[in-house]
Amino acid sequence: MVPHIGVDESGKGDYFGYLVVAAVYVDDKNEDLLKKMNVRDSKMITDMKIIEMDKKIRKICKYDIVKISPEKYNVIYKKFKSLNKLLAWGHARAIENMLEKVNCDLVITDKFGEERFLKDTLFEKGKKVKIIQKVRAEDDTAVAAASIIARAEFLKTLRQLGRDVGYVLPKGATHVEPAAKQLVEKHGKEILDKVAKVHFKITKRLNT
């Protein structure tokens, strides 16, 4: 196995909460440990197990986390007008940060949109390494580990946001409209900029 960095994100499909991008460095030694832990795509793991595995991964792997708060997300989204470009920025930032911590020539990341989005956004160090973007990249151990760290961080920040506004913020985007409506009734429409990704169609429905 060639030592490499895996990158994945969490929160892009959730109306409430942060967008989190994580990068994890894996070599022969820690890959064996990760496989013994049955590290796999976070979408196949319960929240409780994700939090547990996250702690172990952080102890055995070098990693980096880029957290984009809803407020920052909404500002950047207005600038890029594209989720894929925003994702590319987050991935590029995580890759660059990780390359400051480890000497590595290979990065594997889940494919989102056109490959040029990420390639055009890479920073100085990221432009010098080989980047592989592929569908179902979570089959790779490093990407799977990154998906777990990203999801764990998303869950933690979602809970904290909920505490800040005095409301348990639900995950996902299909059944969250009642919660959004109650928040707006209690705090006004401005609250959504602080806790939600306002380009989702839910926001438009609340404003009509």
Side-chain angles (χ1 to χ4, degrees):
M1 192 273 292
V2 178
H4 61 280
I5 294 166
V7 189
D8 204 7
E9 81 287 323
S10 185
K12 70 177 180 184
D14 295 85
Y15 180 61
F16 292 114
Y18 282 57
L19 174 66
V20 181
V21 182
V24 175
Y25 175 72
V26 170
D27 56 22
D28 287 326
K29 185 180 177 182
N30 57 24
E31 185 186 39
D32 288 339
L33 294 170
L34 294 174
K35 284 185 173 178
K36 283 176 185 174
M37 283 168 50
N38 196 20
V39 164
R40 58 204 186 279
D41 185 356
S42 64
K43 291 188 279 293
M44 301 165 65
I45 310 171
T46 63
D47 288 352
M48 193 176 292
K49 189 70 176 173
I50 281 172
I51 298 296
E52 180 187 314
M53 292 176 82
D54 167 62
K55 291 175 184 174
K56 293 178 181 177
I57 294 168
R58 292 185 191 216
K59 285 180 181 176
I60 62 175
C61 296
K62 290 183 179 177
Y63 65 91
D64 188 79
I65 301 170
V66 172
K67 296 187 287 186
I68 304 171
S69 69
E71 281 185 288
K72 188 174 181 181
Y73 178 103
N74 293 324
V75 169
I76 298 174
Y77 188 87
K78 281 179 186 175
K79 178 185 172 185
F80 288 146
K81 295 183 173 62
S82 161
L83 176 56
N84 284 333
K85 287 181 180 178
L86 199 158
L87 280 169
W89 181 85
H91 277 64
R93 184 73 267 166
I95 290 167
E96 195 73 9
N97 292 350
M98 199 69 229
L99 289 171
E100 294 281 352
K101 300 176 182 180
V102 297
N103 185 17
C104 181
D105 298 317
L106 176 63
V107 176
I108 298 176
T109 179
D110 202 31
K111 189 176 181 183
F112 51 88
E114 297 177 38
E115 287 193 9
R116 65 180 174 84
F117 287 142
L118 179 55
K119 287 181 178 176
D120 290 348
T121 315
L122 290 168
F123 298 93
E124 186 181 351
K125 290 181 182 293
K127 289 176 180 175
K128 296 175 183 176
V129 302
K130 184 178 181 181
I131 308 281
I132 297 175
Q133 301 177 57
K134 61 180 185 178
V135 178
R136 290 200 54 78
E138 293 89 354
D139 291 342
D140 176 81
T141 306
V143 178
S147 80
I148 290 169
I149 286 184
R151 193 64 183 172
E153 197 65 34
F154 168 80
L155 293 170
K156 291 176 199 170
T157 52
L158 186 68
R159 277 201 301 270
Q160 186 56 54
L161 271 179
R163 290 192 198 104
D164 292 345
V165 296
Y167 195 95
V168 177
L169 299 172
K171 296 175 293 180
T174 52
H175 305 291
V176 303
E177 202 162 327
K181 194 173 181 181
Q182 286 187 12
L183 273 173
V184 169
E185 287 171 358
K186 186 177 179 181
H187 297 285
K189 291 176 184 177
E190 303 78 28
I191 192 67
L192 295 178
D193 264 319
K194 296 179 180 178
V195 298
K197 303 171 183 79
V198 296
H199 68 87
F200 279 41
K201 290 177 182 176
I202 294 167
T203 307
K204 193 174 182 180
R205 290 199 293 271
L206 289 171
N207 289 332
T208 54

